[in-house]
Amino acid sequence: MKVAQDRQAKYFNARHRHVEFAVGDWVYLKIKPFKGVSRIRRLKKLSPRFLGPFKVIERVGEAAYRLALSTKLSGLHDVFHVSILRKALLEASVVIETTAVPVEEDLRTQVHPIGIEDSEVRQLRNKEVRLVQFRWDNCGREELSWEREQAMLEEYPELFSSGTV
């Protein structure tokens, strides 16, 4: 039993990073971008990953910190676990204003479709799959992605009613 515990401790210590912040440090807050309301969709490479920086006000317990959030994020709870915080390497005199990224209470951002650009039918072995190219509004940047028409028709029927495909 001791050998198994030692092996598990070795694996844990090799990958574990002990992180602590002092009161007054600046940290970034990790957000989880996704498209629409479905969590099945893949994350986009250029979507924002962190918000901030925010100042650490106090340490709450062993692994949680209270942050001074901006007024735009007043709906969020101000205590966060250390796993979603990253140290900001900047001087205290330089504070970047939080961009206008709409963040929900569970730290997710929503990306909304603007319109349909193109459509095509892909031939698989036994069936045909109809794909639609969507233009997405991602915090001021526009992105294109191919999505299955049936799934998108269920989520965004208003885009298909105009007959743009």
Side-chain angles (χ1 to χ4, degrees):
M1 185 61 120
K2 176 73 172 144
V3 174
Q5 288 177 345
D6 290 343
R7 185 175 340 116
Q8 288 178 347
K10 183 180 121 187
Y11 292 145
F12 175 78
N13 292 336
R15 308 269 301 162
H16 179 72
R17 62 181 183 100
H18 182 72
V19 179
E20 282 190 20
F21 302 110
V23 173
D25 283 351
W26 292 88
V27 294
Y28 288 107
L29 180 61
K30 186 173 187 175
I31 58 174
K32 304 164 194 162
F34 73 103
K35 283 190 177 176
V37 294
S38 173
R39 294 184 185 179
I40 297 171
R41 290 203 182 30
R42 59 192 178 275
L43 301 176
K44 288 298 183 179
K45 292 181 187 179
L46 300 177
S47 298
R49 299 286 189 216
F50 294 95
L51 287 179
F54 303 106
K55 193 172 189 174
V56 175
I57 298 174
E58 70 173 306
R59 184 175 183 164
V60 180
E62 288 291 317
Y65 292 90
R66 186 176 312 278
L67 303 181
L69 297 177
S70 65
T71 56
K72 293 178 185 175
L73 301 176
S74 62
L76 290 178
H77 193 271
D78 60 351
V79 177
F80 299 96
H81 191 266
V82 70
S83 63
I84 61 172
L85 300 176
R86 297 291 181 266
K87 186 167 181 91
L89 303 174
L90 56 93
E91 298 176 17
S93 63
V94 180
V95 178
I96 303 168
E97 188 62 33
T98 306
T99 58
V101 178
V103 179
E104 300 198 6
E105 290 184 13
D106 60 351
L107 295 180
R108 295 191 181 275
T109 60
Q110 285 196 6
V111 183
H112 302 284
I114 298 173
I116 299 173
E117 293 295 312
D118 195 8
S119 68
E120 69 178 33
V121 177
R122 292 236 177 118
Q123 180 67 39
L124 301 179
R125 288 184 182 177
N126 298 329
K127 63 179 179 178
E128 294 180 345
V129 177
R130 188 159 173 84
L131 298 175
V132 179
Q133 187 177 34
F134 272 82
R135 180 173 299 279
W136 300 90
D137 177 26
N138 186 8
C139 304
R141 295 185 312 266
E142 290 187 0
E143 296 180 357
L144 295 174
S145 70
W146 287 95
E147 308 290 341
R148 288 183 45 237
E149 182 183 54
Q150 186 61 34
M152 299 308 285
L153 183 60
E154 292 171 7
E155 279 190 60
Y156 306 106
E158 68 277 1
L159 292 175
F160 291 89
S161 62
S162 62
T164 57
V165 180

